[in-house]
Amino acid sequence: MALINGKEYSQLTILKMTSQLRTLMTIIRDQNTKRNDFIFYADRINRLLIEEGLNLLPTRDKTITTRTGEVYHGSEFNGKICAVPIIRAGLSMENCIREVAKKIRIAHILIQRDEETAKPIFYKSWLPDDIQERYVFILDPMLATGGSANATINTLKNNNVDEDKIIFINLVSVPEGIEAVLGTYPAIRMITAEVDRGLNENAFILPGLGDFGDIYFGTD
Ligand code: PRP
Ligand code: URA
């Protein structure tokens, strides 16, 4: 649960701002950080986010016998997952989720913001046939106006994915984007590392970090 502009969002988790996370966020936001450090530390935050996302998956009871012959009453994950990185910046999170989820399927959605209007332009999606049976992790490090995330969720819903099976993993968000996404799709769940002040006149996040995709992939 999180409070954004006086409104409670039960479906939003903001990572606990530990001294470790504050330090990692400072490195990736710093204009003097070199690209290889940006990649390394953004990947570390992405890993924290994805681990938090996995905590939202359902489990069922499982009893096993340990190597000492004793019984252990434990649990196992109950349900398959599919990650949906929004190309391009979301691709930066793909390896992180592959490292922790062995049988995962990866879908891709190609959406780009128009640089003039900041409106999302949908180009193409590649989705597995059984996506509606899976828990779907949307991966995108930046949430600004919410246009790209909403276009992605709309595509998933058109492919029969239930809203309550969608978990949006995001690194930096703003109140405008959170309200746009969770106001439109109240049953999805979202995890973010930090909520920034807001957007500038070009719909860029402030204080933000710049264009995530350009820094991560070296096209700035
Ligand atoms: C960025 C980012 C999000 C989107 C967020 O992508 O990765 O997808 O902008 O903005 P929004 O919430 O206003 O839609 P962009 O389209 O710039 O492409 P990139 O991933 O290639 O940087
Ligand atoms: N996309 C980015 O990479 N950065 C922003 O500030 C907004 C959208």
Side-chain angles (χ1 to χ4, degrees):
M1 205 276 286
L3 199 62
I4 302 292
N5 285 345
K7 190 162 177 217
E8 282 183 3
Y9 289 95
S10 59
Q11 65 279 56
L12 174 63
T13 303
I14 305 172
L15 288 190
K16 187 170 179 307
M17 189 49 76
T18 60
S19 51
Q20 177 190 199
L21 181 58
R22 170 77 64 209
T23 301
L24 301 178
M25 294 301 293
T26 305
I27 295 170
I28 65 163
R29 289 176 186 277
D30 186 344
Q31 61 177 348
N32 293 319
T33 294
K34 298 275 181 294
R35 186 176 334 284
N36 59 349
D37 282 332
F38 181 87
I39 294 168
F40 181 84
Y41 291 103
D43 285 352
R44 282 201 50 200
I45 302 167
N46 285 336
R47 181 66 179 258
L48 297 174
L49 287 162
I50 285 165
E51 294 284 1
E52 192 68 32
L54 295 177
N55 285 333
L56 298 180
L57 292 178
T59 57
R60 60 184 166 212
D61 292 344
K62 183 175 185 185
T63 299
I64 53 105
T65 306
T66 76
R67 288 183 176 78
T68 64
E70 289 279 308
V71 168
Y72 178 81
H73 298 288
S75 63
E76 64 181 357
F77 285 117
N78 183 18
K80 299 183 284 188
I81 61 179
C82 175
V84 185
I86 304 179
I87 301 173
R88 185 181 48 145
L91 293 173
S92 66
M93 299 164 126
E94 185 176 319
N95 281 343
C96 285
I97 201 161
R98 278 190 190 280
E99 281 168 9
V100 293
K102 274 200 260 170
K103 292 185 184 161
I104 193 169
R105 289 290 173 95
I106 309 278
H108 289 99
I109 296 201
L110 176 53
I111 292 173
Q112 289 285 290
R113 287 207 317 179
D114 181 301
E115 290 194 357
E116 300 294 318
T117 64
K119 295 264 181 284
I121 305 171
F122 173 90
Y123 290 98
K124 193 168 165 47
S125 64
W126 298 261
L127 309 177
D129 290 343
D130 65 348
I131 191 160
Q132 70 286 347
E133 293 167 19
R134 295 174 177 265
Y135 287 85
V136 176
F137 281 64
I138 298 175
L139 308 178
D140 195 332
M142 306 305 279
L143 173 64
T145 65
S148 305
N150 275 354
T152 301
I153 298 165
N154 188 39
T155 303
L156 294 172
K157 288 192 68 170
N158 288 341
N159 283 274
N160 303 316
V161 177
D162 291 335
E163 258 182 58
D164 61 6
K165 292 180 95 172
I166 298 175
I167 299 167
F168 176 26
I169 308 283
N170 163 261
L171 204 154
V172 178
S173 58
V174 286
E176 297 93 317
I178 292 169
E179 286 167 1
V181 174
L182 298 184
T184 311
Y185 300 109
I188 77 153
R189 284 162 295 167
M190 174 178 164
I191 298 172
T192 188
E194 199 165 12
V195 182
D196 275 14
R197 192 171 72 241
L199 299 176
N200 70 9
E201 61 284 3
N202 299 318
F204 257 71
I205 298 171
L206 297 177
L209 51 82
D211 188 314
F212 188 101
D214 277 349
I215 309 168
Y216 196 96
F217 295 110
T219 49
D220 52 340

